Amino acid sequence: MEFVDRKTELAYLEDRHARGDFQFIPIYGRRRVGKTRLVREFMKKRPGIYFMADTASEREQLMNLGREVGGFFRDDILVSSGFRDWPQVFAYLQEKARHQRLVFTVDEFPYLVGANPAVSSIFQKGLDLGLKDSRLMLLLTGSSIGMMEEEVLLARAPLYGRRTGSLEVRELPFDAFSELFPGMPCADRIAVYSLFGGIPAYLETVFPAAPVMDMIRRSVLDRGSFLYNEVEFLLREELREPRNYFVILRAIAQGKRKISEIINDTGLDKAHVSRYLDILRSLRLVEKQVPVTEQYPDKSRAGLYRIHDRFFTFWFRYVFPLRGRLEIGQTDHVLQRIAGTFEAFVGEAYEDVSRELCLKLMKEGVMSFTSLGRWWERNEEIDVVALDEEECVAWFGECKWSRKKVGVNVYDDLVRKSKLVSWRRGERSDRFVLFSRSGFTDAMIARAKEDGVVLVHGDEVR
């Protein structure tokens, strides 16, 4: 797949490289998000050594590393004998990087920790005893967020105080989809986003010309596809006993978003559910949403939980509960079940896309705000609320993933709901934005001109 976006991440690495002094930068993010591709793109025009760790023993890892380093420096002895221990690795690199800029990348660093739990402390000693005085740029990447935090990122981690920076690689934004899939209609791009999110490895399975249901059959429901067992694989990589996490994630995917609903659906007690949710949040698998108007979000009792990852959401909503039918070959039955509610599923993702589009509109000068999210209270909710604390302006938005054009009735209802929001009521200025899959009625277009309403058709401002 073409390498797109990542301009900010590449610029960060290029800036650190240009400084010329020692740099130690952990690069982290969930599996499949594109960390390896980012590093390889960065290293294309820069002298450096790339080493991918694996599940082999420490001795085998050192032998393999010796081959990589020896090959780079044309050191036949090192290629044949490998390194005997890590201190020898550090001494060798320190000498080579004393007077030249050198990038050294260890991909999937947690595998080294698995082979030797003391390896982080060994790296710490290596840095302290000489590497930090060289011109080495050391990059450590890892997909196990829990282990990367424990070994590198958190304050108690052995390597925490030695890093000169850090870089989290996140999903591709929806804005990158137009570059990834040129010519694909906006509605199809949003459907693909609803299914795979912005995970590059998942997007590589997309057949741009194929109907979405065919794509789901081939890429997800086929027992031979890597996505069929992907979620289970990732959870077992991060969690020792994933069984209870599975039932919690399924409950959230099925719409049980309050903690009381999750408790009732899973049969687990409150203390266990709270602890499991905290762990899932720390792994970026689940997020807690509160109304954007909450003054103290961390203390809010109005929180709703949702799965952060779009593919995880799809898998736990459709695949996990129907695995039995898939295992006995009833794929057509499962596809029919998916097709029955898939439009609503895409509609949920369109809300996420719409909030991302607000960020784009702010860059273009159409909107201005300091916080962005949703609002709800009792039985009322607003899909998009953007607040500008400095200018005392509130933006309210409605998202409609419907084949019907949005009319004035939707706008009038949004205005009604906006009056229920208490944030700086009586002093703020209210602005409105409507997002629609199918466009707007002539009456709504005329009303928008009168009231200054921003209209977004798909992902384009009209």
Side-chain angles (χ1 to χ4, degrees), residues 239 241-250 276 279-280:
L239 304 165
E241 297 180 1
R243 181 178 57 185
N244 288 335
Y245 296 96
F246 271 73
V247 296
I248 288 173
L249 289 166
R250 176 185 174 177
Y276 293 142
I279 293 171
L280 289 170

Side-chain angles (χ1 to χ4, degrees), residues 26 41-42 62 89 183 194 237 262 298 438:
E41 288 292 325
F42 168 69
L62 288 166
V89 176
S194 75
E237 282 276 301
I262 298 171
D298 293 338
S438 304

Side-chain angles (χ1 to χ4, degrees), residues 48-109:
I49 300 157
Y50 172 85
F51 173 68
M52 174 170 279
D54 53 32
T55 57
S57 68
E58 183 176 44
R59 177 61 189 147
E60 290 178 277
Q61 304 263 25
L62 288 166
M63 286 291 296
N64 294 335
L65 178 58
R67 294 189 188 99
E68 293 290 341
V69 176
F72 181 81
F73 289 110
R74 300 180 180 178
D75 184 335
D76 293 337
I77 295 176
L78 186 57
V79 169
S80 62
S81 62
F83 289 112
R84 65 176 179 273
D85 54 29
W86 286 108
Q88 185 188 11
V89 176
F90 302 140
Y92 193 98
L93 292 175
Q94 179 186 350
E95 178 62 29
K96 294 296 185 180
R98 188 182 300 278
H99 301 297
Q100 67 170 312
R101 191 55 156 158
L102 177 66
V103 180
F104 176 44
T105 298
V106 178
D107 203 350
E108 292 300 350
F109 178 71

Side-chain angles (χ1 to χ4, degrees), residues 21-23 94 126-135 162:
D21 59 352
F22 172 76
Q23 294 288 320
Q94 179 186 350
L127 297 181
D128 292 345
L129 293 181
L131 278 182
K132 66 180 182 180
D133 298 321
S134 70
R135 300 187 64 201
R162 277 71 184 173

Side-chain angles (χ1 to χ4, degrees), residues 281 288 290 294-301:
R281 290 175 67 190
K288 183 181 179 181
V290 298
E294 290 287 286
Q295 189 173 2
Y296 303 105
D298 293 338
K299 298 180 180 180
S300 174
R301 296 184 177 182

Side-chain angles (χ1 to χ4, degrees), residues 441-458:
T441 64
D442 292 341
M444 184 62 240
I445 293 172
R447 183 76 172 275
K449 291 179 180 178
E450 295 175 8
D451 295 359
V453 181
V454 177
L455 302 181
V456 182
H457 182 183

Side-chain angles (χ1 to χ4, degrees), residues 41-260:
E41 288 292 325
F42 168 69
M43 295 181 67
K44 274 183 176 179
K45 300 178 181 179
R46 296 169 180 82
I49 300 157
Y50 172 85
F51 173 68
M52 174 170 279
D54 53 32
T55 57
S57 68
E58 183 176 44
R59 177 61 189 147
E60 290 178 277
Q61 304 263 25
L62 288 166
M63 286 291 296
N64 294 335
L65 178 58
R67 294 189 188 99
E68 293 290 341
V69 176
F72 181 81
F73 289 110
R74 300 180 180 178
D75 184 335
D76 293 337
I77 295 176
L78 186 57
V79 169
S80 62
S81 62
F83 289 112
R84 65 176 179 273
D85 54 29
W86 286 108
Q88 185 188 11
V89 176
F90 302 140
Y92 193 98
L93 292 175
Q94 179 186 350
E95 178 62 29
K96 294 296 185 180
R98 188 182 300 278
H99 301 297
Q100 67 170 312
R101 191 55 156 158
L102 177 66
V103 180
F104 176 44
T105 298
V106 178
D107 203 350
E108 292 300 350
F109 178 71
Y111 283 133
L112 294 185
V113 178
N116 181 356
V119 79
S120 295
S121 297
I122 294 172
F123 266 67
Q124 174 191 329
K125 188 175 180 180
L127 297 181
D128 292 345
L129 293 181
L131 278 182
K132 66 180 182 180
D133 298 321
S134 70
R135 300 187 64 201
L136 186 72
M137 184 176 188
L138 173 62
L139 307 178
L140 298 186
T141 83
S143 298
S144 174
I145 293 177
M147 189 174 289
M148 285 295 286
E149 288 182 337
E150 197 69 28
E151 301 294 330
V152 182
L153 300 171
L154 296 181
R156 64 177 181 271
L159 289 169
Y160 176 78
R162 277 71 184 173
R163 63 180 182 171
T164 58
S166 62
L167 179 62
E168 180 180 7
V169 181
R170 301 182 179 182
E171 298 181 26
L172 291 172
F174 177 73
D175 194 44
F177 278 49
S178 57
E179 191 175 353
L180 278 174
F181 307 115
M184 180 183 283
C186 176
D188 291 347
R189 280 188 275 121
I190 294 172
V192 169
Y193 174 83
S194 75
L195 181 59
F196 298 124
I199 303 298
Y202 301 167
L203 296 174
E204 288 182 348
T205 70
V206 171
F207 301 89
V212 174
M213 287 299 138
D214 287 352
M215 193 184 311
I216 292 173
R217 177 193 290 273
R218 286 190 282 181
S219 298
V220 183
L221 303 185
D222 186 330
R223 284 178 290 172
S225 69
F226 88 90
L227 288 177
Y228 184 74
N229 293 308
E230 169 75 353
V231 172
E232 287 183 291
F233 170 75
L234 292 181
L235 290 178
R236 294 185 192 283
E237 282 276 301
E238 290 283 1
L239 304 165
R240 293 180 181 177
E241 297 180 1
R243 181 178 57 185
N244 288 335
Y245 296 96
F246 271 73
V247 296
I248 288 173
L249 289 166
R250 176 185 174 177
I252 297 173
Q254 300 296 331
K256 310 300 189 297
R257 301 190 59 191
K258 296 179 181 178
I259 192 166
S260 59

Side-chain angles (χ1 to χ4, degrees), residues 261-383:
E261 295 173 338
I262 298 171
I263 291 169
N264 291 335
D265 189 79
T266 62
L268 299 170
D269 63 65
K270 184 176 181 180
H272 282 93
V273 169
S274 297
R275 182 165 63 87
Y276 293 142
L277 287 171
D278 285 343
I279 293 171
L280 289 170
R281 290 175 67 190
S282 72
L283 296 175
R284 287 38 162 208
L285 295 176
V286 165
E287 59 187 354
K288 183 181 179 181
Q289 292 185 325
V290 298
V292 70
T293 53
E294 290 287 286
Q295 189 173 2
Y296 303 105
D298 293 338
K299 298 180 180 180
S300 174
R301 296 184 177 182
L304 300 177
Y305 291 91
R306 59 170 270 176
I307 299 175
H308 174 73
D309 184 280
R310 291 303 315 171
F311 182 68
F312 269 61
T313 304
F314 177 86
W315 195 88
F316 275 103
R317 185 170 300 184
Y318 295 114
V319 180
F320 183 57
L322 298 171
R323 281 290 288 274
R325 290 186 178 273
L326 291 170
E327 289 294 329
I328 60 175
Q330 293 187 356
T331 305
D332 289 339
H333 174 84
V334 174
L335 273 175
Q336 289 176 2
R337 294 275 294 272
I338 293 172
T341 58
F342 190 69
E343 286 290 297
F345 180 79
V346 179
E348 296 171 16
Y350 187 48
E351 292 185 19
D352 292 340
V353 170
S354 297
R355 284 186 284 273
E356 186 180 315
L357 290 172
C358 287
L359 298 172
K360 182 179 179 182
L361 291 174
M362 183 165 66
K363 289 180 181 179
E364 296 173 352
V366 178
M367 298 175 66
S368 177
F369 50 86
T370 54
S371 57
L372 174 67
R374 297 172 57 232
W375 173 89
W376 62 90
E377 188 176 276
R378 298 185 182 89
N379 296 322
E380 302 283 3
E381 64 176 276
I382 301 177
D383 299 330

